[in-house]
Amino acid sequence: MRVLITVKAAPNPSETYGETVCVAGIRLDFDAPGWVRLYPINFRELDSPHTFKKYDIVSLRAKPARGDFRTESWRPDITSVHTVDHLKPWTRRRVEVEPYVDASMCAVREAVHANSAAPSLAAVRPDRVLGIDIKPHPGWSPEDQRKIDRYVGQLDLTGGDRTALQAPRFQGWYRYRCTPRCNGHRQGILDWEFVALQRTLKHRNDDDLVRELQAKYLDQMCAPGRDTVFYVGNQAKSPRTFSVLGVYWPKR
């Protein structure tokens, strides 16, 4: 398949892989276009020829994910990943993304309520972004920490060099209305870049870091002059729960 990468979610602890990343995008094959989810991917262990970034077009082999009822979910063969292009200007991205913008988040949720096998990935344009909530991250759960410790311990035995996955300092939620009649949505932000920005600014104090996150994710990405669209996706264990996986924000 050929996929335009639009989403890289923040890494999470994994029993088997240590840490995994959920990647999503738009399949560009003429015979099977549409949303696709690629999981699992351990991004820190990818060899350089197989790495890719958002808005890369990649070719790869994949097979349907066993045990995941969501039809968009595929298990990638990481060794087959090859980057063939990068869509840098927003104008090039718009051509591929705009046809997949849904009417509203309410419609996406209603479809899943009616049928759990309804689309699990979407792009929605908010009518109004009400704000962003940023709160301290509680840290990994005991179960997640056990997964991390076990994985790092296995690498130590084989001579591997790997640092444990650190929980971010803050977690965030967008509050928005998808239409004028919408009662409002509050969805967690799972974007890789939301976590990466915190690591880049790790020496800032908490108040400064919160201001930087607000400046980027609210004041800049959701500014009146931006045509903001949220990439959203649900969870296999909780299909009615959608999160913001990334933001598309070209100038209007």
Side-chain angles (χ1 to χ4, degrees):
M1 59 175 65
R2 293 174 67 251
V3 179
L4 170 64
I5 304 298
T6 58
V7 166
K8 285 170 59 179
N12 276 298
S14 165
E15 185 79 52
T16 305
Y17 305 97
E19 60 189 62
T20 53
V21 172
C22 178
V23 171
I26 299 169
R27 189 169 177 179
L28 303 180
D29 301 307
F30 291 114
D31 60 337
W35 292 106
V36 63
R37 176 187 292 103
L38 303 174
Y39 181 87
I41 295 177
N42 185 331
F43 234 86
R44 290 206 296 179
E45 288 200 345
L46 287 177
D47 294 331
S48 56
H50 307 301
T51 58
F52 52 85
K53 53 185 179 289
K54 288 171 64 174
Y55 297 106
D56 276 355
I57 295 177
V58 301
S59 66
L60 74 153
R61 294 189 301 270
K63 57 186 179 182
R66 301 175 70 180
D68 191 336
F69 65 89
R70 299 172 298 179
T71 57
E72 300 93 343
S73 297
W74 293 75
R75 187 180 183 90
D77 174 2
I78 295 302
T79 63
S80 71
V81 174
H82 175 65
T83 301
V84 298
D85 197 3
H86 177 70
L87 303 189
K88 188 173 183 179
W90 285 111
T91 51
R92 293 187 67 195
R93 301 171 184 176
R94 188 183 296 275
V95 172
E96 304 296 348
V97 174
E98 285 289 332
Y100 290 95
V101 177
D102 279 272
S104 71
M105 185 67 237
C106 288
V108 172
R109 292 187 72 247
E110 288 168 3
V112 173
H113 275 267
N115 180 5
S116 60
S120 62
L121 292 167
V124 295
R125 178 177 285 113
D127 177 72
R128 182 183 179 189
V129 179
L130 303 175
I132 186 172
D133 299 331
I134 299 176
K135 297 182 179 180
H137 194 287
W140 301 129
S141 67
E143 177 65 15
D144 284 339
Q145 191 62 54
R146 184 190 64 78
K147 295 175 183 178
I148 295 171
D149 294 343
R150 179 180 177 185
Y151 184 65
V152 172
Q154 290 173 341
L155 289 173
D156 288 341
L157 291 174
T158 60
D161 182 17
R162 170 65 65 219
T163 57
L165 178 65
Q166 299 295 316
R169 284 162 61 185
F170 292 97
Q171 54 189 340
W173 295 262
Y174 272 122
R175 290 180 287 106
Y176 68 96
R177 294 194 188 99
C178 61
T179 67
R181 300 181 63 181
C182 170
N183 290 326
H185 304 280
R186 185 177 186 264
Q187 296 175 332
I189 301 171
L190 302 185
D191 190 354
W192 172 298
E193 295 175 0
F194 187 80
V195 174
L197 180 58
Q198 296 182 53
R199 291 176 179 157
T200 300
L201 303 176
K202 62 184 179 181
H203 299 300
R204 301 285 187 92
N205 63 46
D206 286 353
D207 290 341
D208 285 347
L209 181 52
V210 168
R211 280 192 289 269
E212 291 287 351
L213 290 170
Q214 291 175 332
K216 178 70 174 181
Y217 273 79
L218 183 62
D219 300 339
Q220 184 178 8
M221 289 184 170
C222 303
R226 296 288 177 173
D227 184 13
T228 305
V229 170
F230 293 147
Y231 296 119
V232 298
N234 69 3
Q235 304 170 18
K237 295 181 179 180
S238 182
R240 295 183 180 182
T241 300
F242 279 80
S243 303
V244 176
L245 308 178
V247 185
Y248 167 88
W249 51 289
K251 290 183 179 180
R252 289 189 182 277

